[in-house]
Amino acid sequence: MNRNKGKLIVLTGPSGVGKGTLLQSLLDRHPELYFSISVTTRLPRMGEIEGKNYYFVDQPRFQQMIANHELLEWAEYAGNYYGTPRKPVEERISQGCWVILEIEVAGARQIAQTFPEALRIFILPPSVEILEQRIRNRALDAEAAIEKRLLHAEKEIIAAQEFDVQIVNDDFAETLEKIEAQIFAPVMMVGT
Ligand code: 5GP
């Protein structure tokens, strides 16, 4: 299998669609994929670890990172800022690694400009109603934050067609297989 060439993979879609769980399974099954740890001004949730889930920073530090062009993309989401540190991603790609970002839609749009060769995968919920249920059942956030996420999610779903691939996350195992097919199929074809 030829994996000498670096590659950028973007997993996007609305909050609550299951991107995080899908990403975790992908990383477990393919340890060669390098997950880009984002920077955020959001406070850590219970169990989240600095440098594993996110780098947690304050707003002035985030603004400074924007000003210094330290972020490959960034966005404001539900009252907080999120961004991808540029250097580790560029370094890994130049070393031939396959780097994966799990980001919201506005950031994924920016990647189309800065990294047009990236593979951008959009995960869709089976329906808006199911997405709402999932966001509420997670109960990770206060009601006001949930409302913001829901409003945002509806706008994000409309953007799905802008991306290279759209996959509906109905059955988890099937969704995972479809993502893997997108990421690995071209390489497998070259090898056969
Ligand atoms: P959460 O607060 O639930 O961890 O994340 C909220 C949203 O921000 C999710 O849709 C997640 O994919 C997105 N996100 C996480 N990191 C980044 C990032 O570096 N850039 C952008 N644009 N979005 C991100």
Side-chain angles (χ1 to χ4, degrees):
M1 212 184 268
N2 172 17
R3 292 200 179 166
N4 296 331
K5 204 164 169 293
K7 175 162 158 171
L8 185 62
I9 302 144
V10 180
L11 207 56
T12 192
S15 173
V17 79
K19 300 191 296 283
T21 323
L22 288 163
L23 173 84
Q24 199 47 60
S25 291
L26 274 175
L27 296 177
D28 291 345
R29 287 158 63 101
H30 307 280
E32 74 275 25
L33 292 175
Y34 170 80
F35 168 57
S36 157
I37 301 163
S38 298
V39 179
T40 184
T41 61
R42 169 168 78 58
L43 293 174
R45 293 186 183 126
M46 189 115 82
E48 283 186 332
I49 297 167
E50 163 74 17
K52 179 171 183 278
N53 304 96
Y54 282 108
Y55 296 109
F56 297 97
V57 298
D58 57 14
Q59 287 229 14
R61 174 67 188 125
F62 197 95
Q63 296 299 340
Q64 191 185 38
M65 292 182 88
I66 297 173
N68 293 344
H69 306 286
E70 289 176 55
L71 300 175
L72 191 60
E73 61 73 36
W74 65 271
E76 186 185 351
Y77 180 87
N80 294 298
Y81 290 94
Y82 297 81
T84 302
R86 177 191 300 277
K87 207 170 157 210
V89 171
E90 290 183 345
E91 273 177 8
R92 296 284 170 152
I93 290 179
S94 70
Q95 290 162 2
C97 290
W98 290 21
V99 177
I100 187 157
L101 311 183
E102 189 257 278
I103 61 177
E104 54 70 68
V105 175
R109 273 199 184 113
Q110 293 168 43
I111 296 290
Q113 313 291 320
T114 47
F115 253 98
E117 64 279 26
L119 171 65
R120 298 177 314 136
I121 303 174
F122 195 103
I123 309 295
L124 280 158
S127 70
V128 175
E129 290 72 27
I130 291 177
L131 185 71
E132 175 162 359
Q133 257 174 33
R134 286 184 190 164
I135 291 179
R136 290 192 181 283
N137 290 348
R138 283 199 313 186
L140 290 172
D141 301 298
E143 181 61 27
I146 290 177
E147 289 300 327
K148 276 191 198 166
R149 278 164 191 261
L150 284 172
L151 258 178
H152 210 96
E154 288 177 27
K155 287 191 202 141
E156 289 186 312
I157 288 170
I158 297 168
Q161 296 307 318
E162 293 172 27
F163 294 84
D164 301 318
V165 183
Q166 297 80 28
I167 299 174
V168 177
N169 185 16
D170 198 350
D171 177 89
F172 184 81
E174 262 178 42
T175 307
L176 195 58
E177 260 177 43
K178 287 181 188 162
I179 296 173
E180 287 177 330
Q182 288 298 329
I183 297 177
F184 299 106
V187 170
M188 287 194 286
M189 273 173 354
V190 168
T192 50

XYZ file of all heavy atoms in Angstrom, residues 16-82:
555
model
N -23.557 16.783 17.201
C -24.527 15.752 17.596
C -24.708 14.679 16.541
O -25.404 13.694 16.763
N -24.042 14.821 15.396
C -24.264 13.859 14.312
C -23.452 12.571 14.536
O -23.680 11.562 13.880
C -23.939 14.510 12.936
C -22.438 14.540 12.661
C -24.691 13.826 11.815
N -22.508 12.645 15.487
C -21.721 11.447 15.796
C -20.301 11.493 15.256
O -19.607 10.481 15.256
N -19.840 12.687 14.840
C -18.485 12.824 14.287
C -17.424 12.344 15.278
O -16.496 11.654 14.901
C -18.143 14.293 13.975
C -19.024 14.985 12.991
C -18.415 16.337 12.588
C -18.275 17.377 13.680
N -19.488 18.080 14.064
N -17.602 12.731 16.534
C -16.599 12.411 17.552
C -16.455 10.911 17.748
O -15.336 10.389 17.805
N -17.584 10.198 17.831
C -17.550 8.747 18.041
C -16.988 8.049 16.806
O -16.207 7.097 16.908
C -18.979 8.212 18.316
O -19.663 9.177 19.100
C -18.961 6.895 19.013
N -17.384 8.533 15.630
C -16.865 7.944 14.386
C -15.351 8.142 14.314
O -14.613 7.211 13.991
C -17.543 8.589 13.169
C -19.005 8.191 12.963
C -19.713 9.168 12.025
C -19.104 6.765 12.399
N -14.917 9.336 14.663
C -13.487 9.640 14.640
C -12.738 8.698 15.583
O -11.704 8.137 15.221
C -13.251 11.087 15.064
C -11.780 11.424 15.235
C -11.154 11.782 13.905
C -11.582 12.551 16.221
N -13.280 8.520 16.783
C -12.607 7.665 17.770
C -12.425 6.252 17.221
O -11.354 5.665 17.333
C -13.397 7.662 19.087
C -12.575 7.198 20.281
C -11.188 7.861 20.350
O -11.079 9.087 20.438
N -10.109 7.065 20.268
N -13.475 5.714 16.593
C -13.369 4.364 16.021
C -12.350 4.321 14.892
O -11.586 3.360 14.763
C -14.713 3.896 15.472
O -15.580 3.680 16.528
N -12.353 5.363 14.073
C -11.375 5.422 12.976
C -9.951 5.394 13.517
O -9.093 4.677 12.999
C -11.548 6.717 12.181
C -12.559 6.733 11.056
C -12.661 8.134 10.477
C -12.127 5.753 9.945
N -9.730 6.169 14.581
C -8.372 6.239 15.156
C -7.989 4.906 15.800
O -6.848 4.467 15.699
C -8.274 7.375 16.189
C -8.478 8.786 15.640
C -8.427 9.813 16.779
C -7.428 9.131 14.593
N -8.969 4.248 16.451
C -8.689 2.940 17.062
C -8.330 1.917 15.993
O -7.445 1.097 16.168
C -9.914 2.429 17.836
C -10.176 3.257 19.088
O -9.270 4.012 19.496
O -11.291 3.158 19.640
N -9.060 1.976 14.877
C -8.860 0.961 13.833
C -7.668 1.263 12.918
O -7.149 0.356 12.277
C -10.135 0.853 12.974
C -11.272 0.150 13.727
C -12.617 0.495 13.140
N -12.814 0.072 11.783
C -13.506 -1.001 11.414
N -14.055 -1.763 12.336
N -13.657 -1.295 10.151
N -7.287 2.524 12.864
C -6.190 2.923 11.960
C -5.227 3.839 12.714
O -5.241 5.056 12.526
C -6.750 3.657 10.730
C -7.823 2.887 10.032
N -7.548 1.851 9.170
C -9.173 2.962 10.115
C -8.684 1.327 8.734
N -9.681 1.985 9.299
N -4.386 3.250 13.548
C -3.502 4.075 14.382
C -2.545 4.929 13.559
O -1.932 5.855 14.096
C -2.726 3.049 15.223
C -3.297 1.719 14.929
C -4.226 1.812 13.764
N -2.432 4.636 12.267
C -1.520 5.446 11.443
C -2.124 6.820 11.116
O -1.418 7.723 10.681
C -1.135 4.699 10.157
C -2.221 4.628 9.084
C -3.202 3.472 9.279
O -3.373 3.015 10.433
O -3.810 3.049 8.279
N -3.427 6.968 11.346
C -4.039 8.284 11.107
C -3.638 9.218 12.256
O -3.658 8.818 13.419
C -5.568 8.182 11.052
C -6.179 7.445 9.861
C -7.685 7.337 10.025
C -5.843 8.158 8.553
N -3.303 10.438 11.916
C -2.894 11.406 12.935
C -4.035 12.396 13.153
O -4.454 13.085 12.222
C -1.622 12.137 12.485
C -1.264 13.307 13.360
C -0.617 13.111 14.572
C -1.588 14.616 12.979
C -0.295 14.187 15.394
C -1.265 15.692 13.785
C -0.628 15.473 14.991
O -0.327 16.535 15.798
N -4.548 12.429 14.384
C -5.649 13.341 14.715
C -5.083 14.702 15.096
O -4.223 14.807 15.975
C -6.479 12.753 15.863
C -7.454 13.726 16.454
C -8.417 14.347 15.666
C -7.412 14.040 17.809
C -9.314 15.257 16.208
C -8.316 14.946 18.360
C -9.261 15.549 17.556
N -5.600 15.735 14.455
C -5.167 17.087 14.784
C -5.956 17.596 15.987
O -7.184 17.700 15.936
C -5.396 17.992 13.565
O -5.486 19.334 13.976
N -5.253 17.899 17.069
C -5.917 18.385 18.290
C -6.159 19.888 18.152
O -5.229 20.655 17.897
C -5.058 18.078 19.531
C -4.831 16.567 19.619
C -5.711 18.614 20.802
C -3.682 16.176 20.528
N -7.413 20.267 18.311
C -7.797 21.669 18.113
C -7.556 22.503 19.360
O -7.407 21.981 20.464
C -9.285 21.743 17.775
O -9.553 21.065 16.578
N -7.583 23.809 19.128
C -7.532 24.782 20.218
C -8.952 25.300 20.410
O -9.667 25.501 19.422
C -6.629 25.972 19.798
C -6.564 27.015 20.883
C -5.251 25.498 19.441
N -9.386 25.483 21.648
C -10.710 26.063 21.857
C -10.734 26.982 23.073
O -9.950 26.787 24.014
C -11.808 24.980 22.027
O -13.083 25.622 22.139
C -11.600 24.120 23.265
N -11.665 27.949 23.029
C -11.881 28.804 24.205
C -13.008 28.227 25.071
O -13.325 28.796 26.101
C -12.251 30.247 23.790
O -13.470 30.195 23.030
C -11.151 30.895 22.964
N -13.633 27.133 24.620
C -14.674 26.502 25.451
C -14.031 25.920 26.707
O -12.893 25.459 26.661
C -15.384 25.403 24.646
C -16.278 24.535 25.500
C -17.192 23.642 24.713
N -16.644 22.436 24.123
C -16.038 21.440 24.783
N -15.795 21.527 26.079
N -15.633 20.366 24.115
N -14.800 25.908 27.813
C -14.283 25.307 29.039
C -14.280 23.790 28.881
O -15.152 23.238 28.196
C -15.156 25.703 30.235
C -15.114 27.188 30.611
C -16.119 27.483 31.715
C -13.708 27.602 31.028
N -13.335 23.097 29.531
C -13.323 21.636 29.429
C -14.593 21.039 30.030
O -15.087 21.534 31.040
C -12.112 21.226 30.278
C -11.330 22.458 30.518
C -12.222 23.633 30.332
N -15.112 19.996 29.378
C -16.216 19.240 29.965
C -15.610 18.198 30.902
O -14.426 17.901 30.819
C -17.009 18.511 28.885
C -17.744 19.417 27.950
C -18.622 18.587 27.001
N -19.292 19.441 26.043
C -19.229 19.285 24.719
N -18.512 18.296 24.195
N -19.890 20.095 23.924
N -16.480 17.628 31.726
C -16.006 16.599 32.650
C -15.291 15.490 31.868
O -15.823 14.991 30.874
C -17.212 16.004 33.371
C -16.817 15.101 34.492
S -17.315 15.749 36.055
C -19.017 15.245 36.094
N -14.108 15.138 32.302
C -13.382 14.026 31.671
C -12.510 14.451 30.503
O -11.697 13.661 30.028
N -12.675 15.665 30.013
C -11.827 16.095 28.890
C -10.426 16.439 29.390
O -10.269 17.015 30.474
C -12.445 17.313 28.182
C -13.598 16.909 27.291
C -14.155 18.059 26.467
O -14.058 19.233 26.912
O -14.699 17.795 25.390
N -9.451 16.087 28.563
C -8.054 16.237 28.980
C -7.329 17.213 28.061
O -7.416 17.102 26.826
C -7.339 14.858 28.962
C -8.019 13.940 29.988
C -5.849 14.982 29.248
C -7.630 12.485 29.843
N -6.631 18.149 28.692
C -5.805 19.123 27.965
C -4.764 18.378 27.115
O -4.063 17.491 27.622
C -5.116 20.031 29.008
C -3.927 20.830 28.516
C -4.312 22.012 27.632
O -5.484 22.418 27.646
O -3.421 22.511 26.910
N -4.704 18.719 25.828
C -3.694 18.102 24.969
C -4.129 16.758 24.410
O -3.408 16.156 23.621
N -5.298 16.269 24.823
C -5.804 15.013 24.249
C -7.080 15.319 23.471
O -7.204 15.017 22.302
C -6.079 13.996 25.347
C -6.628 12.688 24.823
C -6.693 11.625 25.910
C -7.170 10.290 25.354
N -8.626 10.240 25.255
N -8.051 15.944 24.168
C -9.291 16.320 23.491
C -9.117 17.661 22.779
O -9.544 17.828 21.630
C -10.437 16.416 24.497
C -10.613 15.125 25.272
O -10.094 14.992 26.376
N -11.306 14.165 24.683
N -8.581 18.604 23.482
C -8.346 19.963 22.970
C -7.157 20.561 23.696
O -6.740 20.073 24.744
C -9.553 20.871 23.320
C -10.772 20.707 22.451
C -11.917 20.087 22.950
C -10.815 21.216 21.160
C -13.073 19.962 22.180
C -11.965 21.097 20.381
C -13.081 20.469 20.896
O -14.213 20.350 20.116
N -6.680 21.693 23.149
C -5.857 22.612 23.927
C -6.810 23.724 24.350
O -7.415 24.381 23.490
C -4.726 23.201 23.078
C -3.744 22.157 22.593
C -3.699 21.797 21.249
C -2.869 21.539 23.481
C -2.805 20.832 20.801
C -1.970 20.572 23.034
C -1.953 20.223 21.702
O -1.084 19.266 21.256
N -6.995 23.888 25.639
C -7.938 24.895 26.139
C -7.189 26.199 26.382
O -6.208 26.218 27.138
C -8.605 24.390 27.428
C -9.428 23.152 27.203
C -8.912 21.882 27.460
C -10.726 23.245 26.712
C -9.659 20.730 27.227
C -11.486 22.094 26.470
C -10.950 20.835 26.735
N -7.639 27.257 25.708
C -6.953 28.551 25.838
C -7.976 29.649 26.121
O -9.181 29.442 25.937
C -6.169 28.927 24.543
C -5.079 27.909 24.244
C -7.105 29.076 23.348
N -7.485 30.818 26.561
C -8.427 31.930 26.777
C -8.547 32.739 25.473
O -7.804 32.517 24.510
C -8.009 32.795 27.975
C -6.607 33.362 27.823
O -6.066 33.316 26.694
O -6.046 33.849 28.812
N -9.496 33.673 25.485
C -9.759 34.430 24.247
C -8.560 35.229 23.752
O -8.271 35.199 22.560
C -10.960 35.359 24.463
C -12.249 34.605 24.507
C -13.292 35.247 23.589
O -12.964 36.076 22.756
N -14.538 34.859 23.770
N -7.841 35.944 24.661
C -6.685 36.702 24.156
C -5.666 35.811 23.455
O -5.128 36.167 22.403
C -6.084 37.327 25.433
C -7.229 37.385 26.388
C -8.117 36.218 26.074
N -5.424 34.624 24.009
C -4.454 33.702 23.383
C -4.972 33.255 22.011
O -4.208 33.178 21.049
C -4.210 32.492 24.304
C -3.352 31.401 23.709
C -1.889 31.832 23.471
N -1.144 30.818 22.711
C -0.479 31.065 21.577
N -0.432 32.272 21.062
N 0.157 30.097 20.955
N -6.289 32.997 21.939
C -6.857 32.564 20.653
C -6.698 33.682 19.622
O -6.286 33.443 18.477
C -8.333 32.169 20.821
C -8.861 31.349 19.680
C -8.879 29.955 19.735
C -9.327 31.962 18.518
C -9.338 29.193 18.668
C -9.792 31.215 17.447
C -9.809 29.824 17.524
N -7.017 34.917 20.028
C -6.889 36.066 19.107
C -5.452 36.212 18.627
O -5.198 36.517 17.458
C -7.342 37.368 19.802
C -8.815 37.399 20.190
C -9.754 37.261 18.986
O -9.364 37.506 17.852
N -10.990 36.844 19.239
N -4.535 35.971 19.556
C -3.125 36.077 19.211
C -2.752 35.012 18.159
O -2.019 35.293 17.209
C -2.319 35.844 20.492
C -0.863 36.152 20.407
C -0.173 35.756 21.727
O -0.502 34.736 22.349
N 0.769 36.581 22.149
N -3.288 33.822 18.342
C -3.007 32.756 17.379
C -3.544 33.120 16.001
O -2.903 32.847 14.978
C -3.608 31.421 17.854
C -2.925 30.876 19.084
S -3.590 29.276 19.599
C -2.575 28.171 18.622
N -4.716 33.752 15.955
C -5.268 34.198 14.659
C -4.320 35.224 14.046
O -3.923 35.107 12.887
C -6.674 34.821 14.814
C -7.680 33.791 15.342
C -7.153 35.403 13.481
C -9.048 34.386 15.678
N -3.948 36.221 14.860
C -3.104 37.318 14.354
C -1.766 36.787 13.847
O -1.226 37.289 12.857
C -2.898 38.354 15.456
N -1.222 35.766 14.529
C 0.087 35.215 14.138
C -0.014 34.167 13.028
O 0.968 33.491 12.735
C 0.760 34.535 15.348
C 1.128 35.531 16.413
O 1.157 36.731 16.169
N 1.392 35.042 17.622
N -1.205 33.990 12.471
C -1.437 32.973 11.424
C -1.048 31.571 11.893
O -0.519 30.771 11.126
C -0.679 33.322 10.126
C -0.998 34.692 9.625
N -2.188 34.995 9.020
C -0.313 35.852 9.695
C -2.208 36.278 8.723
N -1.085 36.826 9.127
N -1.304 31.320 13.174
C -0.958 29.995 13.719
C -2.064 28.976 13.463
O -1.901 27.805 13.782
C -0.737 30.092 15.240
C 0.521 30.819 15.646
C 0.638 30.957 17.151
O 0.579 29.940 17.860
O 0.762 32.110 17.627
N -3.205 29.447 12.937
C -4.334 28.523 12.739
C -4.579 28.290 11.253
O -4.604 29.230 10.458
C -5.593 29.078 13.411
C -5.459 29.287 14.925
C -6.710 29.947 15.493
C -5.178 27.977 15.649
N -4.774 27.027 10.921
C -5.054 26.643 9.533
C -6.474 27.054 9.157
O -6.766 27.377 8.016
C -4.906 25.119 9.439
C -4.895 24.457 8.099
C -3.740 24.985 7.251
C -4.752 22.942 8.273
N -7.344 26.997 10.116
C -8.734 27.450 9.980
C -9.234 27.699 11.382
O -8.690 27.151 12.344
C -9.613 26.412 9.259
C -9.732 25.052 9.948
C -10.583 25.041 11.195
O -11.597 25.757 11.245
O -10.239 24.336 12.156
N -10.263 28.523 11.503
C -10.876 28.714 12.810
C -12.314 29.175 12.611
O -12.685 29.648 11.525
C -10.086 29.710 13.669
C -10.066 31.110 13.123
C -9.156 31.623 12.241
C -10.996 32.157 13.397
N -9.454 32.919 11.948
C -10.587 33.289 12.648
C -12.131 32.274 14.217
C -11.275 34.499 12.683
C -12.809 33.488 14.251
C -12.380 34.583 13.483
N -13.130 29.029 13.652
C -14.517 29.473 13.568
C -15.049 29.746 14.967
O -14.538 29.207 15.955
C -15.370 28.388 12.898
N -16.077 30.595 14.989
C -16.796 30.790 16.238
C -17.981 29.850 16.179
O -18.659 29.753 15.157
C -17.277 32.233 16.368
C -17.885 32.473 17.731
C -18.491 33.855 17.889
O -18.295 34.709 17.002
O -19.187 34.053 18.906
N -18.196 29.109 17.249
C -19.279 28.134 17.238
C -19.973 28.159 18.599
O -19.328 27.934 19.622
C -18.720 26.733 16.938
C -19.786 25.677 16.923
C -20.495 25.402 15.757
C -20.140 25.013 18.093
C -21.502 24.466 15.753
C -21.146 24.075 18.095
C -21.828 23.811 16.927
O -22.832 22.890 16.928
N -21.291 28.456 18.574
C -22.112 28.471 19.789
C -21.438 29.254 20.929
O -21.412 28.822 22.075
C -22.455 27.045 20.223
N -20.848 30.412 20.566
C -20.304 31.301 21.595
C -18.857 31.044 21.970
O -18.312 31.747 22.823
N -18.231 30.047 21.365
C -16.815 29.775 21.651
C -16.026 29.724 20.348
O -16.601 29.574 19.270
C -16.664 28.433 22.375
C -17.284 28.469 23.751
O -16.881 29.238 24.619
N -18.307 27.659 23.950
N -14.707 29.844 20.485
C -13.834 29.770 19.309
C -13.149 28.406 19.255
O -12.777 27.843 20.297
C -12.756 30.855 19.370
C -13.313 32.235 19.160
C -13.680 33.033 20.237
C -13.475 32.748 17.872
C -14.208 34.306 20.047
C -13.989 34.015 17.668
C -14.360 34.790 18.762
O -14.875 36.039 18.564
N -12.969 27.927 18.019
C -12.300 26.650 17.784
C -11.350 26.827 16.609
O -11.711 27.494 15.637
C -13.313 25.559 17.390
C -14.344 25.225 18.444
C -15.477 26.021 18.611
C -14.182 24.110 19.255
C -16.427 25.706 19.574
C -15.141 23.788 20.218
C -16.255 24.589 20.372
O -17.189 24.282 21.316
